[in-house]
Amino acid sequence: MVQALRHGMLPRTLHADVPSSHVDWSPAAAAPAAGAQENRGITVGTVTATDGTTLTVGAILGGTVVVHSTPSTEVLALGGGRIADIAAGYSVFVHGDRNPDGSIVASLIIGGPLDLSGK
């Protein structure tokens, strides 16, 4: 993964065409506890704007998501470990808590200059 990021590429997935036999894929096993995932916020996309504490992300599935950081937000960015190190144009994965307005308070942001357009 690290080498792929250094070369501006996404690594190939391993065995993605066949579900793992080591995981119970039944609906009962896959269903989260009631309400456990209700406020979970995840997005993947390209940063369209940033002010050093907040990102605006063009999600790959469409739409725009505002991502807020806190002092406890973990940032893994190529070239640094602060939200200010994530520039417009970077591709990001964001995990955190979704607000009622659809924005996300990030607990983790991973970003780098990757092309997610598939071109």
Side-chain angles (χ1 to χ4, degrees):
M1 180 68 160
V2 172
Q3 289 297 340
L5 286 172
R6 286 183 180 147
H7 290 78
M9 300 170 55
L10 290 175
R12 289 183 167 182
T13 58
L14 300 175
H15 314 294
D17 56 335
V18 178
S20 171
S21 61
H22 300 288
V23 176
D24 181 358
W25 295 102
S26 68
Q37 301 295 317
E38 197 170 286
N39 296 323
R40 189 61 57 208
I42 296 174
T43 193
V44 176
T46 303
V47 176
T48 58
T50 180
D51 66 5
T53 60
T54 302
L55 304 174
T56 303
V57 177
I60 61 172
L61 296 178
T64 300
V65 178
V66 174
V67 177
H68 305 284
S69 66
T70 68
S72 63
T73 300
E74 184 176 0
V75 177
L76 303 173
L78 200 59
R82 302 170 305 137
I83 193 153
D85 297 322
I86 298 179
Y90 270 35
S91 298
V92 292
F93 165 84
V94 177
H95 179 269
D97 295 316
R98 188 169 302 279
N99 289 321
D101 66 359
S103 65
I104 296 174
V105 177
S107 56
L108 173 65
I109 302 171
I110 301 172
L114 302 173
D115 182 5
L116 296 179
S117 67
K119 296 178 184 175

